[in-house]
Amino acid sequence: MRIGELSTRTQTPMRLLRYYEEQELIESNRLPNGYRDYEEYVVDRVLQVRGLLDVGLPTRIIKQILPCLNTPRTIHMPYVTPDMVATLERERDRMAEKIECLTKNHQAITDYLDAVRRNIRAS
Amino acid sequence: MRIGELSTRTQTPMRLLRYYEEQELIESNRLPNGYRDYEEYVVDRVLQVRGLLDVGLPTRIIKQILPCLNTPRTIHMPYVTPDMVATLERERDRMAEKIECLTKNHQAITDYLDAVRRNIRAS
DNA sequence: ATTGACCTTCACACTAATGTCACCCATCGA
DNA sequence: TCGATGGGTGACATTAGTGTGAAGGTCAAT
């Protein structure tokens, strides 16, 4: 599929799709005319990348962990350098921290909203 | 306390403490000589702010939701405009999404690491 | 009285993730 | 063949969060 379709299917500006490619987060083949040609799986890939970006991971890290998060859950194990393992462990721990922080604040907001609503109802 | 102490206690560069103040995320009084003078609670506040930043919330949003997340759990209810409630609900939902995304990827990494370790042990 | 640590403001700079615009080529339908 | 539409590259702009350094005050201790 070409970039326009990928863009609408992933709700992502073409500009960003090109950017992600530049950052080596996704890949494309080229049609004879130079147009980008994406394979089907890239759709999921883009969504996953955007999820991770949105969650605060930098492209640099995403690029590193992506091979381990392959959508066709083929845990195909490349050269897993100890270095790589370390990165993964570090990121995993950071994620855990983030989850905790988010959960706490999510709860705080929820509580607050509840209180507000009770307040409104009472007045 | 002055900025140096706050900086070491929160592990945060002074530069950023000033920046947070500029963004109205924290406040300070001034000593007669112009030095910033922080109250004790600011320590927690800074940590909270950094947690939220790290988790991907922009200062703009943090500023808005901060009054509802006061550390001295005095749910002191200011003018809760409907607008404000809307923002809170939106952010809360976004947080939930992020938590989900993070959890999923956290799990994926964990699984992967497990697989790698099994692989190593087997070889 | 000077040094050194701590503080102030101002300002320039960088990176990441995006937006936007300019200019040109390709494709396809009228 | 013309024009709309879709694509390609490149470059400059922007915002957020930081780093860093200049130039200058304050203060405590020597």
Side-chain angles (χ1 to χ4, degrees):
Chain A
M1 101 197 59
R2 282 171 310 166
I3 202 171
E5 186 181 343
L6 183 60
S7 171
T8 58
R9 283 179 61 184
T10 58
Q11 294 282 69
T12 305
M14 293 186 298
R15 171 71 175 83
L16 292 190
L17 295 174
R18 300 199 188 98
Y19 175 70
Y20 298 155
E21 180 172 334
E22 192 182 304
Q23 302 303 309
E24 298 177 63
L25 302 180
I26 59 177
E27 39 181 44
S28 68
N29 308 310
R30 293 299 178 127
L31 296 171
N33 58 13
Y35 288 13
R36 267 163 260 254
D37 182 29
Y38 299 97
E39 284 167 45
E40 189 60 27
Y41 81 94
V42 180
V43 175
D44 285 326
R45 179 69 148 251
V46 169
L47 295 175
Q48 186 179 28
V49 165
R50 290 184 66 83
L52 290 170
L53 277 177
D54 186 50
V55 122
L57 296 188
T59 51
R60 191 183 74 258
I61 299 294
I62 297 179
K63 179 162 70 174
Q64 283 184 52
I65 67 181
L66 220 39
C68 318
L69 274 34
N70 270 333
T71 336
R73 187 47 78 237
T74 342
I75 297 211
H76 90 86
M77 232 163 290
Y79 314 107
V80 199
T81 65
D83 210 60
M84 178 71 184
V85 171
T87 299
L88 283 171
E89 287 176 337
R90 198 171 348 98
E91 277 323 303
R92 182 203 49 192
D93 293 347
R94 278 179 52 81
M95 279 185 179
E97 281 171 31
K98 288 189 186 194
I99 290 172
E100 199 191 340
C101 175
L102 274 170
T103 304
K104 203 148 50 180
N105 283 291
H106 180 272
Q107 190 57 50
I109 293 181
T110 303
D111 292 349
Y112 184 81
L113 283 172
D114 284 355
V116 168
R117 272 192 267 273
R118 262 196 305 283
N119 216 34
I120 288 170
R121 206 158 353 106
S123 65
Chain B
M1 102 195 57
R2 281 172 308 167
I3 202 171
E5 186 181 344
L6 183 60
S7 171
T8 59
R9 284 180 61 184
T10 58
Q11 294 283 67
T12 306
M14 293 187 299
R15 171 71 176 83
L16 290 189
L17 295 174
R18 300 199 187 96
Y19 175 69
Y20 297 155
E21 180 172 332
E22 193 181 304
Q23 302 302 310
E24 299 177 61
L25 301 180
I26 60 177
E27 39 181 44
S28 68
N29 307 311
R30 292 300 178 126
L31 296 171
N33 59 14
Y35 288 13
R36 266 163 260 252
D37 182 30
Y38 299 97
E39 285 167 46
E40 189 59 27
Y41 80 94
V42 180
V43 174
D44 285 327
R45 179 66 149 255
V46 169
L47 295 175
Q48 185 179 29
V49 166
R50 290 182 67 84
L52 291 170
L53 278 176
D54 186 50
V55 122
L57 296 188
T59 51
R60 191 182 74 260
I61 300 293
I62 298 179
K63 180 162 69 173
Q64 283 183 53
I65 67 181
L66 221 38
C68 317
L69 273 32
N70 270 333
T71 335
R73 188 49 77 239
T74 341
I75 297 210
H76 90 86
M77 228 160 296
Y79 314 108
V80 200
T81 65
D83 210 60
M84 178 70 184
V85 172
T87 299
L88 283 170
E89 287 177 337
R90 200 172 345 100
E91 277 325 301
R92 183 203 50 193
D93 294 347
R94 279 178 52 80
M95 280 185 181
E97 281 172 32
K98 288 192 185 190
I99 291 173
E100 199 190 340
C101 175
L102 274 170
T103 304
K104 203 149 48 182
N105 283 291
H106 181 273
Q107 190 57 50
I109 293 181
T110 302
D111 291 350
Y112 184 80
L113 283 172
D114 284 355
V116 169
R117 273 191 268 274
R118 259 196 307 283
N119 215 35
I120 288 171
R121 206 160 351 111
S123 66

